[in-house]
């Protein structure tokens, strides 16, 4: 029997397979690869023949991957990651920093991470960045694929083989409309604040997780009026008088404060931290290591100064 690597298809076929898996359909993969659908289907059939097992089943218009297909997808990712690391290592030996940094961050972090990246890319203008944003559960789901170099959380998942790098505080503060009756108060009890109609992030949000843990530990229940799936929508809903909320101070500062005021509430702010998280089992590329060194040195200092001045 020929060795496995001699039987399994070409790099192009593996690239096509990854595209179908990531895009969710042959049609979408064909568009992004600039290939015809018959070409994509033919290449995948050849790859399946080489593997000797079906890679996916067609259910309606969706391709549902088999166990064998998922195994090939996982190995294909490793193959291309090796090529990426080789390219970065060769560039590094030439005194160049080129390649792609892949970041996936929770939604609240999108307000300040671009500022951190801006300063980093001024130092290394040849580096590209893939920047993904989602709620806490969506970013945890991305970790399952291991495609990204780093993940940014305020509440990293537990019981996983992760390396955590704490790099900045993330205080959660109370906000109300500027004309709210409590806005004139200098010291509001947590119980009084919690009686107001409250706007909360969706299940899976790190901010919601922190708020509920903090209030539960103090025996305080919220008067939840509405669940809202974005920080921007919460800010505008508070401005519109629909209720009060607790959000990251970074959302309040960088997202804009017009029509809002930060409220002094006993027991607040909720003190949390930002973490740069990576998979322990994943080898760091030259670019990933360069970014981590930057964050742990000048990046952290400049970010803390920016947060203080915001």
């Amino acid at each position: 029997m020929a060795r496995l690597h001699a039987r399994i298809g070409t790099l192009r076929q593996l690239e096509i397979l990854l595209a179908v898996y990531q895009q969710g359909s042959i049609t979408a993969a064909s568009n992004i690869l600039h290939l015809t659908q018959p070409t994509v289907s033919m290449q995948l059939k050849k790859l399946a023949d080489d593997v000797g097992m079906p890679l996916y089943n067609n259910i309606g218009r969706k391709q549902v991957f088999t166990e064998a297909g998922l195994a090939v997808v996982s190995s294909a990712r490793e193959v291309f990651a090796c090529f990426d690391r080789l390219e970065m290592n060769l560039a590094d030996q030439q005194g160049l920093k080129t390649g792609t940094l892949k970041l996936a961050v929770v939604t609240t972090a999108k307000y300040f991470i671009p500022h951190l990246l801006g300063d980093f890319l001024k130092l290394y203008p040849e580096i590209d960045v893939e920047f993904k944003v989602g709620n806490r559960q969506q970013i945890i789901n991305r970790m399952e694929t291991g495609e990204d170099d780093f993940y940014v959380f305020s509440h990293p998942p537990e019981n996983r083989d992760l390396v955590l790098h704490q790099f900045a505080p993330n205080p959660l503060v109370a906000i109300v409309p500027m004309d709210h009756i409590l806005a004139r108060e200098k010291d509001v009890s947590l119980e009084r604040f919690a009686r107001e109609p409250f706007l909360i992030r969706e299940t899976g949000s790190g901010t919601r997780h922190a708020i509920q843990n903090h209030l539960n530990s103090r025996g305080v229940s919220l008067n939840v009026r509405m669940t809202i799936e974005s920080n921007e929508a919460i800010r505008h809903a508070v401005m519109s008088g629909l209720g009060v909320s607790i959000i990251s101070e970074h959302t309040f500062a960088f997202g804009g404060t017009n029509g809002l005021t930060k409220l002094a509430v006993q027991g607040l702010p909720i003190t949390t931290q930002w973490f740069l998280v990576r998979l322990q089992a994943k080898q760091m590329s030259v670019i990933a290591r360069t970014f981590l060194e930057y964050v742990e040195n000048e990046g952290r200092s400049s970010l803390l100064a920016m947060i203080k001045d915001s």
Side-chain angles (χ1 to χ4, degrees), residues 34 48 51-52 62 68 72 92 120 129 140 147 164 177 210 236 260-261 266 281-282 291 303:
H34 305 292
V51 172
K62 293 185 63 178
V72 178
D92 192 52
F120 175 68
V129 177
I140 289 174
E147 291 181 73
L164 309 182
H236 286 285
L260 299 173
T261 188
Q266 295 170 12
K282 181 172 181 176
F291 181 68
L303 180 60

Side-chain angles (χ1 to χ4, degrees), residues 2-23:
R3 294 182 66 187
L4 185 63
H5 70 76
R7 290 191 292 116
I8 288 184
T10 65
L11 290 175
R12 184 57 167 166
Q13 288 170 351
L14 295 178
E15 182 183 27
I16 290 170
L17 181 72
L18 278 179
V20 171
Y21 179 78
Q22 291 166 349
Q23 299 301 315

